[in-house]
Amino acid sequence: MTLQDAREQAADLGPKEAGHLIRHQDWNTLVDVLTTYGNSLDALTTDLAVLQTEVSTLETTMQAAIAALDARIDPLEGLPALVQRIDAETAPLRQNYLLKVSTAQENYLVGQAAELVFTATTLDGKPLPDPKPWLDVVATWGRLRAAPGFVVRENAEENALAVQFNNAGQVRLQLRSQFTKGLSPSTEGSFAGVLQAQAGSSGKTVMKVLQEAASPQDPEAQMAFRAVSTMYEANATVRGYADTYLEQFTGGRVIGGIIRPQGEWEHYRATVMAFAKPDSVATSPDPTRGVATVQVNFREWIPNWSHDHVEIFDEAELDWGRILKDNLHVPDLVHRMVSELDKRAGSRGVLGRIREMRALDKAATVINPGSDPAMQQGKAMMMGAMQMQLATGTTDTGVAAGYGQQATVTQQVGQAAKAAQSTAQEAAGSKQAVAVLESRVLAAEKTGKEISAGLRALGDGINKIDVVQVADLGSRLQSINTSLNGLATKINR
């Protein structure tokens, strides 16, 4: 029986009035109610003892906890001062900026510009106060240019610049290839348009093909190269960009730099580092307040395309073959061919000039001069001029022209040498004749001396004639006669 049941049964037993009898059932119920009350009181006493024990334990625990809290609260009494000191010490750090950098993609083709966006806020993400800070940016490879509308300070090599954040707290930059120094934004934009052209019948743009091709030898890449060649030949601005790019890529030796197989793609990974500062004054002691870096990758493809472009010259080779055949015998062959080359390649760009050079070189190599010495010499001079021109790597024809002039001078010197040799041979014969003449003169001098001696002897004989000694006159005249005959004989030799 529960206490609730006991209470309800006890209520049913009363109230009783005097004289009413108590039935045994009521008595038994009353006994059960009292027993239930007694049992409940016993249980309550037990529960109370347990509760008292638990309260004592809790009291002990609470006292220990309070003591521990007292020990920990005591040092916190200096907390306001500590907070104030930390606030003062971290004040310079809270002046730093939260600098972030983003770009639309990681991989680009040369000819594209990588767009970089730098955003600066306070450390809790709030806009920076005026005046807006500056951003110093340095690239390990490539050339930097700020987007239009920004206050910027550039350097001559375009690999570093300082830009002031705009009102939105942003700096927008473009990173281009290393080999684009001096090219204007409009020229770069025109060449970037080449990458958006269709690559033949592939259904893809030139840019997509070159990004996806595994190597320059990929058939779709070759198709894209032909599309670029078509635009190079048709558009002067595209030619200007490509020619300038190749001049810088090869260091001015365009021929040697591109006339070689380009079997694999070459990539340039550029790291761009940015440092945010309150101002751009060099003498300001303000430290850097934000740093961010980003890496982008550029795939090189222009030398690969240019190599393929200059290798296609079959039609030009036929033209040069006809021109050489008509002029191979003329003395100024090299001069004529160089003049024709300059005229034909004047508006075809650097690659068009190289293509004409290679066609002329090939035509000079294969032409048959026959047995004519003049034509054989013309072929040799033309081949030498073109080989010398191609070996220098430069695209102007000054080397070939100089070679032709030198060859002409050498030929003239050779002719002069032959004339000198003939003169020397004639001089050698004259010298021999002079030697004979000299011997004859010496003999004549000797004879003259003998004649002089004979005359002196004759004079002495005449002086010795004495008219008194007439008897001796005949013998003396006979002696004189003999002497004269001897002189006559010597004179007649």
Side-chain angles (χ1 to χ4, degrees):
M1 180 183 297
T2 65
L3 285 175
Q4 181 62 33
D5 293 339
R7 283 195 298 270
E8 292 176 355
Q9 290 185 9
D12 291 340
L13 292 175
K16 296 292 184 180
E17 294 180 359
H20 285 187
L21 294 176
I22 298 177
R23 296 175 299 174
H24 72 278
Q25 294 91 341
D26 294 337
W27 177 257
N28 291 337
T29 299
L30 178 60
V31 171
D32 290 338
V33 169
L34 292 176
T35 300
T36 299
Y37 277 133
N39 292 335
S40 297
L41 289 175
D42 288 340
L44 183 60
T45 301
T46 301
D47 292 341
L48 182 60
V50 173
L51 182 60
Q52 287 177 341
T53 301
E54 292 177 351
V55 169
S56 298
T57 302
L58 179 61
E59 182 180 9
T60 301
T61 302
M62 290 298 297
Q63 288 176 349
I66 290 171
L69 287 175
D70 287 340
R72 297 175 64 181
I73 289 173
D74 288 341
L76 295 180
E77 293 179 352
L79 183 59
L82 178 61
V83 171
Q84 186 175 3
R85 179 169 61 85
I86 293 175
D87 183 73
E89 292 176 352
T90 59
L93 297 178
R94 294 196 304 275
Q95 294 178 354
N96 286 335
Y97 312 139
L98 181 61
L99 183 62
K100 300 178 181 179
V101 59
S102 62
T103 182
Q105 60 194 67
E106 180 182 0
N107 297 304
Y108 295 85
L109 298 172
V110 295
Q112 290 182 285
E115 299 284 347
L116 307 178
V117 180
F118 296 87
T119 304
T121 63
T122 61
L123 293 180
D124 56 359
K126 296 179 181 179
L128 294 174
D130 293 331
K132 298 301 182 185
W134 285 70
L135 190 69
D136 289 344
V137 188
V138 180
T140 58
W141 182 90
R143 301 189 183 277
L144 293 165
R145 176 186 291 131
F150 284 88
V151 180
V152 60
R153 296 179 180 177
E154 300 175 336
N155 75 343
E157 293 301 318
E158 304 175 22
N159 59 354
L161 44 76
V163 188
Q164 189 174 26
F165 284 91
N166 61 13
N167 291 332
Q170 289 186 338
V171 166
R172 294 180 174 272
L173 303 177
Q174 293 180 344
L175 178 67
R176 305 106 62 212
S177 171
Q178 179 75 20
F179 310 112
T180 57
K181 183 178 181 180
L183 291 172
S184 67
S186 60
T187 299
E188 292 179 352
S190 296
F191 192 80
V194 171
L195 299 175
Q196 301 301 326
Q198 291 295 313
S201 60
S202 66
K204 303 177 183 178
T205 63
V206 171
M207 180 174 64
K208 187 171 182 62
V209 168
L210 296 181
Q211 286 175 337
E212 296 177 350
S215 74
Q217 286 74 41
D218 186 276
E220 286 194 347
Q222 295 293 310
M223 189 180 299
F225 286 166
R226 288 192 291 271
V228 175
S229 292
T230 300
M231 288 178 280
Y232 175 87
E233 293 172 350
N235 191 308
T237 303
V238 173
R239 284 197 301 274
Y241 181 100
D243 291 350
T244 301
Y245 190 98
L246 291 169
E247 285 281 349
Q248 296 181 26
F249 175 82
T250 61
R253 295 176 57 87
V254 180
I255 297 178
I258 65 171
I259 300 184
R260 55 187 175 89
Q262 302 282 339
E264 300 294 335
W265 296 122
E266 185 176 5
H267 293 89
Y268 312 118
R269 180 162 289 277
T271 299
V272 181
M273 298 166 284
F275 310 90
K277 313 191 317 183
D279 55 54
S280 63
V281 180
T283 57
S284 173
D286 294 325
T288 297
R289 295 187 179 178
V291 178
T293 64
V294 65
Q295 286 190 339
V296 291
N297 184 61
F298 285 86
R299 170 173 284 187
E300 181 63 88
W301 62 272
I302 293 179
N304 307 86
W305 154 71
S306 62
H307 169 264
D308 290 357
H309 181 83
V310 300
E311 287 296 319
I312 303 173
F313 54 80
D314 293 343
E315 184 177 347
E317 180 188 342
L318 294 176
D319 290 342
W320 281 113
R322 288 190 291 269
I323 296 172
L324 278 174
K325 184 177 180 180
D326 294 339
N327 294 273
L328 196 59
H329 63 284
V330 299
D332 60 341
L333 172 66
V334 175
H335 173 72
R336 290 194 183 188
M337 295 300 100
V338 168
S339 298
E340 179 67 18
L341 177 62
D342 288 337
K343 182 174 68 175
R344 291 165 66 96
S347 61
R348 299 182 183 180
V350 170
L351 298 182
R353 178 178 290 272
I354 295 174
R355 177 186 279 179
E356 293 292 334
M357 286 182 180
R358 288 181 57 75
L360 176 55
D361 177 58
K362 182 68 176 297
T365 301
V366 302
I367 194 170
N368 183 8
S371 59
D372 187 338
M375 297 181 70
Q376 291 175 351
Q377 184 176 11
K379 174 178 178 175
M381 289 177 61
M382 197 67 244
M383 288 179 60
M386 294 313 302
Q387 290 170 7
M388 182 69 72
Q389 179 68 56
L390 294 174
T392 61
T394 58
T395 57
D396 65 88
T397 54
V399 176
Y403 181 93
Q405 293 175 354
Q406 184 63 37
T408 301
V409 171
T410 302
Q411 184 179 7
Q412 292 173 350
V413 170
Q415 293 173 350
K418 289 181 179 179
Q421 183 179 6
S422 176
T423 302
Q425 291 174 349
E426 293 177 358
S430 299
K431 182 177 180 180
Q432 184 177 2
V434 169
V436 173
L437 181 61
E438 285 179 347
S439 65
R440 297 184 65 181
V441 169
L442 290 175
E445 288 179 350
K446 182 178 179 182
T447 302
K449 289 179 181 180
E450 293 177 353
I451 292 173
S452 296
L455 289 174
R456 282 195 300 271
L458 179 61
D460 290 344
I462 292 173
N463 289 332
K464 290 180 180 179
I465 295 176
D466 189 356
V467 292
V468 179
Q469 299 176 343
V470 176
D472 195 33
L473 181 59
S475 61
R476 291 180 180 273
L477 288 174
Q478 184 65 35
S479 176
I480 292 170
N481 241 356
T482 302
S483 297
L484 288 174
N485 289 333
L487 288 173
T489 300
K490 291 179 179 179
I491 290 173
N492 292 326
R493 287 179 181 176

